[in-house]
């Protein structure tokens, strides 16, 4: 299991229907992010996702992604963070400085895992571990 960094008090996210996607007004923002990713050699490692909720999660719950490469399907379900058999986080959410644990430096508490992938069900890129 990975080192969980789940916040006890997550700020609410907008519902998917209300979340605003990228638009032309975000072009400078995207250029800045691309420049930072390129500077650190991470253009092929990280990207963007639209943070949103479909339903609430308790502080001790995480979303876990499973997939079936033969059927070409992805599924996401809720598990208890302390009981999941996930192996790898695949999405993270930044935590503003004001919401971090007291005394936390720039790294600890800077993000929380929001989507995990279980290698038991073949995380993308782990096809050789199954069958």
């Amino acid at each position: 299991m990975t080192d969980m960094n789940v916040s006890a008090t997550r700020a609410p996210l907008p519902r998917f229907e209300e979340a605003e996607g990228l638009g032309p007004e975000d072009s400078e923002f995207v250029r800045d992010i691309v420049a930072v990713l390129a500077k650190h050699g991470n253009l092929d490692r990280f990207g963007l996702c639209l943070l949103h909720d479909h339903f609430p999660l308790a502080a001790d719950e995480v979303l876990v992604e499973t997939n079936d490469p033969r059927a070409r399907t992805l599924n996401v379900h809720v598990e208890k963070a302390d009981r999941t058999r996930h192996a790898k986080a695949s999405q993270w959410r930044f935590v503003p400085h004001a919401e971090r644990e007291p005394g936390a430096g720039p790294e600890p508490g800077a993000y929380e895992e929001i989507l995990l992938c279980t290698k038991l069900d073949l995380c993308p890129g782990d096809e050789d571990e199954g069958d």
Side-chain angles (χ1 to χ4, degrees), residues 4 9 12 37 40 42 55-56 62-63 65 69 72 80 97 108 112-114 116 121-123 130:
M4 293 301 298
T9 56
L37 290 171
H40 294 278
N42 285 323
F55 45 81
V62 292
L63 290 173
E65 173 186 356
R72 298 175 57 187
K80 292 292 186 181
H97 182 73
E112 63 184 356
E113 297 171 345
I114 59 172
L116 312 171
D121 294 309
L122 301 175
C123 287

Side-chain angles (χ1 to χ4, degrees), residues 78-111:
V78 177
E79 292 184 9
K80 292 292 186 181
D82 63 351
R83 286 185 263 166
T84 185
R85 296 179 356 166
H86 79 275
K88 188 181 218 175
S90 62
Q91 289 184 19
W92 303 263
R93 176 182 179 188
F94 297 117
V95 178
H97 182 73
E99 295 178 24
R100 295 184 196 165
E101 292 293 318
E107 292 301 319
Y111 63 87

Side-chain angles (χ1 to χ4, degrees), residues 1 17 20 32 43 74 78 88 92 110 125 129:
M1 189 176 332
E17 300 80 14
E20 185 179 342
D32 290 349
L43 272 176
L74 294 174
V78 177
K88 188 181 218 175
W92 303 263
E129 293 183 21

Side-chain angles (χ1 to χ4, degrees), residues 2-43:
T2 63
D3 184 23
M4 293 301 298
N5 197 0
V6 177
S7 171
T9 56
R10 292 183 178 124
L13 294 173
R15 295 205 35 86
F16 178 77
E17 300 80 14
E18 300 161 346
E20 185 179 342
L22 285 174
E25 69 279 4
D26 297 309
S27 60
E28 182 179 357
F29 158 73
V30 172
R31 279 193 304 272
D32 290 349
I33 293 216
V34 168
V36 170
L37 290 171
K39 174 183 173 183
H40 294 278
N42 285 323
L43 272 176

